[in-house]
Amino acid sequence: PISFVTASVDRIDLKKRFPLNRQLVMQGIPIFVGRSSINVQISVFDKNDEHIIICTANFIMVARDGITGKSTTINTLLLDDEIAQQNFIRGRFDAQLKKEERAKKLAVTKPSSDESALIHEFWQDRMVRHKVDMEDKSKYIALDDTKLTNVVICQPQNLNRAGKIFGGYLMKIAYELARVTAYKFIGGLENIYDDNIDRAEIIDQHPQFVSSDDIAFEHPVSVGCIIRNESVVACTDTMNAMHARDKVDFFEGRKA
């Protein structure tokens, strides 16, 4: 028998906030099939109007032999219409692009000349030009100061069919830590029960999930394993504004 494991989640994009008063449909379509892997495209849309896309995601599933546990060959994909052909081409391009990105990881290759130049420019802004004053905590904060961690012990209720911890659970605890990190970075939480605060303003100023890049599952996780997650604010869009001009308008109570 053949079983499937989740190798990675290539991308998650939240197009709109999930409506609580609408009926939604979740649809999964295999758009690309390799020798042993499948790129499954997930779409969540309004049941009454399929053009209203709420969320999209791409999951890379790998077929395993039920006896040996090794990857095994699977059936090819029949491209019976133009949309399927376009999706297949896009899936093949994504697979090739992901392969090239793996070869460019810092653990494999050194920083490129452009990356080294950018690092040097940041260093000059801090140490030579003195454009960045790290003592001004209202505008700047060190990466290490944004770091948060959590530790969990994996329990049997989170097992999947293969007897390992469900990858969705691991994604959930990572997402929750990332959300708390974002809240902490912007300066804390407002009292949502304060009648003097505009509810719409609270929603607009609180961090909202927009997208997630590649999530790779390198090794299986068993019951009893202690998982330690670490989060850090690696970049903000204010950095682009700092690079473009000397003076930047900062939101009160927020850091960049």
Side-chain angles (χ1 to χ4, degrees):
I2 296 178
S3 61
F4 285 89
V5 297
T6 305
S8 66
V9 182
D10 266 4
R11 181 83 181 181
I12 300 176
D13 289 295
L14 188 62
K15 308 292 186 180
K16 303 177 183 293
R17 292 179 182 171
F18 276 88
L20 302 180
N21 58 348
R22 307 285 294 181
Q23 290 185 320
L24 303 179
V25 176
M26 178 178 289
Q27 181 183 73
I29 301 176
I31 63 172
F32 176 75
V33 174
R35 189 187 70 84
S36 61
S37 63
I38 303 177
N39 185 341
V40 181
Q41 180 178 278
I42 305 295
S43 300
V44 180
F45 54 87
D46 193 309
K47 182 178 180 181
N48 298 322
D49 188 352
E50 63 180 14
H51 295 96
I52 302 179
I53 306 296
I54 308 298
C55 181
T56 61
N58 285 79
F59 286 74
I60 307 300
M61 316 295 293
V62 176
R64 299 287 187 184
D65 187 281
I67 298 177
T68 63
K70 297 181 179 180
S71 60
T72 184
T73 305
I74 55 177
N75 295 331
T76 57
L77 190 63
L78 177 62
L79 308 177
D80 51 0
D81 56 35
E82 184 178 352
I83 295 178
Q85 295 173 3
Q86 293 176 353
N87 287 336
F88 186 87
I89 294 174
R90 184 170 65 86
R92 182 169 58 185
F93 175 79
D94 291 343
Q96 181 62 31
L97 183 63
K98 187 176 180 181
K99 183 177 180 180
E100 294 175 358
E101 288 178 348
R102 284 199 300 265
K104 296 179 182 178
K105 287 185 176 181
L106 285 176
V108 180
T109 60
K110 63 181 181 180
S112 65
S113 57
D114 291 339
E115 292 170 338
S116 298
L118 182 61
I119 295 172
H120 183 251
E121 186 172 352
F122 284 152
W123 179 84
Q124 285 186 320
D125 286 343
R126 171 72 174 91
M127 305 300 296
V128 180
R129 305 188 187 104
H130 302 290
K131 290 183 178 181
V132 178
D133 183 9
M134 294 303 296
E135 299 299 325
D136 188 354
K137 299 301 182 181
S138 65
K139 292 184 178 180
Y140 307 103
I141 184 171
L143 290 180
D144 286 342
D145 294 336
T146 68
K147 187 179 299 183
L148 287 178
T149 59
N150 69 357
V151 179
V152 297
I153 299 178
C154 297
Q155 303 294 339
Q157 61 264 31
N158 298 313
L159 288 177
N160 59 20
R161 292 180 55 193
K164 301 298 181 180
I165 298 300
F166 178 49
Y169 170 74
L170 301 176
M171 292 172 58
K172 172 179 175 291
I173 59 177
Y175 166 77
E176 291 175 345
L177 179 61
R179 188 170 178 82
V180 172
T181 304
Y183 271 116
K184 178 176 179 290
F185 180 74
I186 65 174
L189 303 176
E190 297 286 351
N191 182 7
I192 62 175
Y193 300 106
D194 188 350
D195 294 334
N196 297 323
I197 298 179
D198 185 7
R199 297 294 187 271
E201 184 179 350
I202 291 178
I203 295 176
D204 291 338
Q205 293 185 358
H206 279 212
Q208 302 292 328
F209 175 83
V210 176
S211 65
S212 172
D213 286 333
D214 179 60
I215 302 173
F217 299 97
E218 301 289 348
H219 303 284
V221 180
S222 303
V223 173
C225 286
I226 299 177
I227 301 296
R228 180 177 181 269
N229 288 309
E230 182 179 289
S231 66
V232 64
V233 178
C235 181
T236 68
D237 57 0
T238 314
M239 295 180 67
N240 296 328
M242 291 172 59
H243 182 70
R245 55 179 180 169
D246 293 336
K247 295 183 179 180
V248 181
D249 297 329
F250 291 88
F251 289 104
E252 183 178 356
R254 301 189 187 187
K255 307 179 181 67

